[in-house]
Amino acid sequence: MGNRNPYQLVSREWQPEDTHFVVNGVVIGKDLMMIAGPCAVENREQIFTISEYLSKFNIKFLRGGAYKPRTSPYSFQGLKTEGLQLLREAADKYNMAVVSEILGTEKIEELCDYADILQVGTRNMQNYPLLKALGKIEKPILLKRGMMSTIEEWLLAAEYIMSSGNEKIILCERGIRTFENATRNTLDISAVPLVKLLSHLPVILDPSQGTGMRELVTPVSSAAIAAGADGLIVEVHNQPDEALSDGDQSLYLDQFRDLLPLLRKQANFRNKRFDYDGVYALSPLK
Ligand code: PEP
Ligand code: MN
């Protein structure tokens, strides 16, 4: 069948089989990938407390912004290099991989020194020089959907990375702007199965930026897995009420703990491995 779409390399027509790659023992695109941690790294005690807690459940990916793209220049901008160093130290101690945001081409080298997966945020999805430069590195890229982007624009952004040479891309639906203002964004759950039809790339979902409300994170996470997502990126904080960014959408530690058995059931249903507490969700998969 000919390719009806403007993107090629990322399309199912180009590659019918799902893309898989391994980071920290997790087969991304096949197993359930759980990325958790605070919106931003704030201090040593915060990131070590959170990562220690996550590691008790065998969570393999630690998120945390060190360079934060804030709407206001007066908001906390992140700890920058110090934040990356703290993340790396905590992740190494607890056997986790680091996921952190890249804001511009000039920081790629530094991010590559500390992070295992580089996150391109919603505000940068159409930063084409950045996408091209990320196509030249070896590390996987977590590409968030632009808050005002169509699915076609999002897949074309992935095409920029892939056509520059990097095939390790994880797509992340994180909500788009609509007239609705009861939630921070309008999370497009249907994007998950649609993008899985159109592309072979792994697709995960961010229920935290997607809703802006911690009360919605559990049900929406569950919906994402039911819809076929390959994983989640969830904001978790030891003191959400004191958080320097995105406290309202950050789960308390015990809320995160309680989410896990629910996700395991759904991972089971989707035939996806989720060994969150060290025991495989399923009897060994082939
Ligand atoms: C974040 O993950 O904290 C973040 C800023 O994400 P997004 O780019 O989706 O807003
Ligand atoms: Mn955030």
Side-chain angles (χ1 to χ4, degrees):
M1 182 168 66
N3 194 334
R4 291 167 280 119
N5 300 311
Y7 40 85
Q8 309 221 351
L9 305 178
V10 304
S11 74
R12 275 276 177 212
E13 281 97 343
W14 189 270
Q15 182 190 307
E17 319 79 46
D18 282 345
T19 284
H20 294 153
F21 48 90
V22 179
V23 181
N24 203 18
V26 174
V27 187
I28 296 170
K30 185 162 182 258
D31 300 343
L32 188 87
M33 177 190 205
M34 172 58 89
I35 309 170
C39 178
V41 184
E42 298 170 7
N43 56 60
R44 171 174 285 270
E45 200 206 332
Q46 175 236 23
I47 195 66
F48 275 79
T49 304
I50 296 169
S51 49
E52 182 186 13
Y53 190 84
L54 297 174
S55 74
K56 290 199 175 114
F57 303 99
N58 203 25
I59 300 300
K60 293 294 185 196
F61 299 91
L62 178 64
R63 64 151 290 150
Y67 292 93
K68 293 300 299 175
R70 304 303 301 280
T71 301
S72 165
Y74 306 119
S75 302
F76 176 59
Q77 302 284 308
L79 294 182
K80 309 189 171 73
T81 305
E82 189 196 343
L84 289 172
Q85 287 166 341
L86 289 172
L87 262 179
R88 187 72 263 166
E89 219 186 296
D92 285 346
K93 179 160 182 196
Y94 297 111
N95 189 25
M96 299 173 85
V98 166
V99 181
S100 199
E101 184 164 350
I102 175 78
L103 288 190
T105 48
E106 71 287 357
K107 296 292 180 205
I108 292 178
E109 212 175 316
E110 187 185 24
L111 260 288
C112 285
D113 284 345
Y114 295 103
D116 301 291
I117 298 179
L118 275 57
Q119 171 177 331
V120 176
T122 193
R123 295 161 182 80
N124 256 326
M125 191 210 82
Q126 288 183 312
N127 181 340
Y128 300 118
L130 177 63
L131 300 176
K132 283 191 208 170
L134 293 173
K136 304 264 185 277
I137 67 171
E138 305 278 318
K139 304 241 171 173
I141 309 299
L142 177 63
L143 179 65
K144 294 232 182 163
R145 179 177 180 180
M147 65 179 95
M148 299 205 246
S149 298
T150 63
I151 285 173
E152 189 171 290
E153 288 162 343
W154 185 21
L155 291 172
L156 284 168
E159 187 83 14
Y160 261 93
I161 300 171
M162 197 172 276
S163 62
S164 303
N166 188 347
E167 304 188 347
K168 290 186 230 141
I169 303 168
I170 304 159
L171 296 166
C172 179
E173 165 62 40
R174 51 78 70 205
I176 50 175
R177 281 267 165 98
T178 68
F179 59 83
E180 181 57 77
N181 59 11
T183 47
R184 185 178 179 187
N185 290 288
T186 296
L187 196 62
D188 183 4
I189 289 273
S190 63
V192 172
L194 179 53
V195 171
K196 298 286 301 176
L197 277 178
L198 297 172
S199 175
H200 51 82
L201 293 172
V203 184
I204 70 168
L205 188 134
D206 180 339
S208 311
Q209 328 301 321
T211 64
M213 292 168 67
R214 78 170 64 86
E215 295 82 355
L216 304 187
V217 166
T218 297
V220 164
S221 298
S222 170
I225 307 306
D230 296 303
L232 295 164
I233 176 166
V234 178
E235 287 182 348
V236 184
H237 200 289
N238 54 329
Q239 294 175 306
D241 304 312
E242 318 291 323
L244 297 181
S245 65
D246 289 350
D248 291 347
Q249 66 192 36
S250 299
L251 293 182
Y252 289 92
L253 296 180
D254 56 354
Q255 282 181 308
F256 180 76
R257 176 199 63 205
D258 294 345
L259 170 64
L260 296 173
L262 179 68
L263 295 184
R264 163 187 279 209
K265 279 194 197 137
Q266 287 191 283
N268 229 320
F269 179 67
R270 305 282 329 177
N271 215 26
K272 286 181 109 46
R273 175 174 285 168
F274 184 36
D275 59 335
Y276 74 84
D277 60 0
V279 181
Y280 283 144
L282 300 167
S283 45
L285 294 170
K286 277 168 252 120

